[in-house]
Amino acid sequence: IYGETGAYYGTVEQQGRLTLHLHLLLYIKGALPPQEIRNRLMTEGSEFEKSLITYLEAVHVGEFHNGDLATMQAKYPVPTDTNSTYQNPTLMMPVPPPSWCKDKKCSECKRCVQRANWWSNFWETTDDLMVKSNIHTHHQAYEPTAKDRKAAVTKGLKTKYKGAKGCRNKDGICMARFPREIFPESVVDYSDGSLNVKKLESDINNVTPMLTYCLRCNTDVTSLLSGTAIKAIVAYISDYVSKASLKSYQVFSSMYDVLHQ
Ligand SMILES: [Zn+2]
Ligand SMILES: [Zn+2]
């Protein structure tokens, strides 16, 4: 999806509710260092700028395929009628695409028609998955009651025992960074080579549609266009390594390995 993998660095976190949560940094083979990308973006209207934007807009999106948030929420409501034939895609496996038609000029044979149908189903399913998994609503901190604690001990659930953190800090700022800034189209600031990729919905995070289709859950995909951002993510991921009671020398050795890739 993203190109050939040069290296990757990630950890799997076990959340309070016992679900597994992956943080992963992917290095793409042949990708330029962030500063080099910035330097090249400072030339207005370059071929490089066009190619980079085409690539970034193809690998991750910040909006739905077939409409805006309100339209999509109306189209894919949370099912309440248990007799309905609607199948919640978060509970279904992905459907593999039908085989290719080898004729490049053809668009009408049985295989081509099946493939076109598969793609339209792909986009509808992906929009539905995003409605079910990617819309952020601010949540309050939650203090467990004595009853919750008792139930938690019986079931072995940490969340109910400890309660849950809200998404806002003491200043009322959402730590999940919502609502996010909107960009009607991808724009480069030629004065410093910084780039903001197109994003149309402020209440969802960015996703790679193919990843959403395959994984069927919330994902957050972003391109790190500065060395500082990359280092921050390495530190963030390493923090999760240390959560798993690893010794600090193991954390540093992991970071050393990554930075020398
Ligand atoms: Zn065909
Ligand atoms: Zn929030």
Side-chain angles (χ1 to χ4, degrees), residues 136-139 167-168 174-178:
H136 183 80
T137 39
H138 299 305
H139 45 277
C167 66
R168 282 173 286 208
C174 174
M175 301 302 280
R177 299 175 290 113
F178 285 99

Side-chain angles (χ1 to χ4, degrees), residues 28-46:
I28 296 154
K29 214 175 211 173
L32 296 169
Q35 190 56 51
E36 176 70 24
I37 293 178
R38 279 174 172 253
N39 293 347
R40 293 203 187 188
L41 285 177
M42 287 170 76
T43 313
E44 201 170 330
S46 66

Side-chain angles (χ1 to χ4, degrees), residues 82-190:
T82 46
N83 295 321
S84 121
T85 54
Y86 169 80
Q87 290 176 311
N88 184 340
T90 62
L91 305 175
M92 310 285 293
M93 295 294 279
V95 178
S99 56
W100 294 99
C101 157
K102 302 278 185 292
D103 182 354
K104 280 187 184 157
K105 287 178 204 134
C106 173
S107 63
E108 287 158 353
C109 77
K110 202 174 143 201
R111 277 185 175 177
C112 285
V113 172
Q114 278 176 344
R115 203 165 179 86
N117 287 340
W118 185 86
W119 274 112
S120 90
N121 176 271
F122 168 89
W123 289 115
E124 286 184 7
T125 305
T126 306
D127 280 346
D128 191 357
L129 286 163
M130 285 164 71
V131 169
K132 302 286 186 298
S133 322
N134 289 77
I135 301 169
H136 183 80
T137 39
H138 299 305
H139 45 277
Q140 302 291 333
Y142 161 74
E143 273 300 322
T145 60
K147 198 177 155 198
D148 284 337
R149 284 175 191 270
K150 205 172 159 194
V153 172
T154 329
K155 291 183 189 162
L157 293 173
K158 256 198 258 171
T159 311
K160 286 268 177 192
Y161 190 74
K162 282 188 178 167
K165 280 185 210 156
C167 66
R168 282 173 286 208
N169 66 11
K170 60 178 174 22
D171 301 318
I173 311 262
C174 174
M175 301 302 280
R177 299 175 290 113
F178 285 99
R180 296 196 184 169
E181 205 176 340
I182 294 294
F183 298 98
E185 54 182 9
S186 300
V187 278
V188 174
D189 179 343
Y190 299 113

Side-chain angles (χ1 to χ4, degrees), residues 42-62:
M42 287 170 76
T43 313
E44 201 170 330
S46 66
E47 209 41 56
F48 178 79
E49 176 191 335
K50 275 184 225 152
S51 306
L52 183 68
I53 289 174
T54 305
Y55 169 78
L56 290 173
E57 288 184 356
V59 295
H60 69 329
V61 296

